[in-house]
Amino acid sequence: MKKIILAGIFSAVTAAIVGGGVAWGVIHYMQNSSSVAASNTESRPQVEEVKVKDGSKSLFVSLPESVVTLHDDENDNHYMLVELAMVADDEQNSKRILADEPLYQSIVVSTLSEMKYENVRTLKISDIKEILLNTMNKEVQARGIPIPWSDILVKKVVFQ
């Protein structure tokens, strides 16, 4: 009888120690991974400064990815992911780009979503860039806002 009681107590203590260690490990792991995940999924645009050959500085402001729904001739949905970077000449313009980011994303989405999937799919990246640059220049000027970028770069285009 004593052996059964001692074995039961020993099993309970062992289970408590193992369970506590597992619980501590899971909590510790979750706290570390959540801070890493939060820093990786931060969707704020990034500003990167690059010196150009002539000695001037250009600031590259990365905008978050935009997902656009495109329709084909049979009215099926296709998706396009576009990521842009805007080139600013100074810090003030880069801050203006960051402040007006929702406007720029809205212009990108509305411009591309009006196009047919087949037409967009045949465009070169340089053509997409020109369409977006021209449309953004027109839309921003129509709103009476000074244009804070000197160029727009297409960082990523993915079709699905």
Side-chain angles (χ1 to χ4, degrees), residues 31-43:
Q31 287 176 344
N32 286 343
S33 67
S34 67
S35 64
V36 170
S39 66
N40 286 343
T41 60
E42 190 173 308
S43 66

Side-chain angles (χ1 to χ4, degrees), residues 22-38:
V22 169
W24 179 85
V26 168
I27 291 170
H28 180 70
Y29 174 75
M30 292 302 286
Q31 287 176 344
N32 286 343
S33 67
S34 67
S35 64
V36 170

Side-chain angles (χ1 to χ4, degrees), residues 90-101:
D90 58 28
E91 188 70 30
Q92 181 182 4
N93 283 338
S94 70
K95 288 180 182 178
R96 185 172 300 143
I97 290 170
L98 291 174
D100 294 340
E101 169 205 326

Side-chain angles (χ1 to χ4, degrees), residues 3-27:
K3 289 182 182 182
I4 294 174
I5 293 174
L6 288 176
I9 292 173
F10 178 74
S11 297
V13 169
T14 304
I17 291 172
V18 170
V22 169
W24 179 85
V26 168
I27 291 170

Side-chain angles (χ1 to χ4, degrees), residues 10-130:
F10 178 74
S11 297
V13 169
T14 304
I17 291 172
V18 170
V22 169
W24 179 85
V26 168
I27 291 170
H28 180 70
Y29 174 75
M30 292 302 286
Q31 287 176 344
N32 286 343
S33 67
S34 67
S35 64
V36 170
S39 66
N40 286 343
T41 60
E42 190 173 308
S43 66
R44 292 297 309 153
Q46 299 174 354
V47 178
E48 182 179 331
E49 185 175 316
V50 177
K51 288 192 177 185
V52 185
K53 288 183 182 179
D54 65 0
S56 64
K57 291 188 287 185
S58 290
L59 298 170
F60 294 91
V61 181
S62 294
L63 298 180
E65 299 170 337
S66 299
V67 178
V68 181
T69 303
L70 302 170
H71 301 286
D72 62 11
D73 290 333
E74 287 128 21
N75 212 19
D76 290 332
N77 291 337
H78 297 274
Y79 301 97
M80 175 182 183
L81 180 112
V82 181
E83 187 176 0
L84 300 176
M86 297 180 146
V87 182
D89 294 330
D90 58 28
E91 188 70 30
Q92 181 182 4
N93 283 338
S94 70
K95 288 180 182 178
R96 185 172 300 143
I97 290 170
L98 291 174
D100 294 340
E101 169 205 326
L103 171 65
Y104 306 140
Q105 285 195 293
S106 173
I107 294 170
V108 168
V109 170
S110 65
T111 301
L112 293 174
S113 64
E114 292 172 357
M115 301 174 75
K116 287 283 189 188
Y117 172 74
E118 291 84 1
N119 297 342
V120 176
R121 189 78 172 142
T122 59
L123 293 174
K124 296 178 183 175
I125 298 296
S126 58
D127 296 334
I128 294 172
K129 173 193 169 189
E130 286 303 314

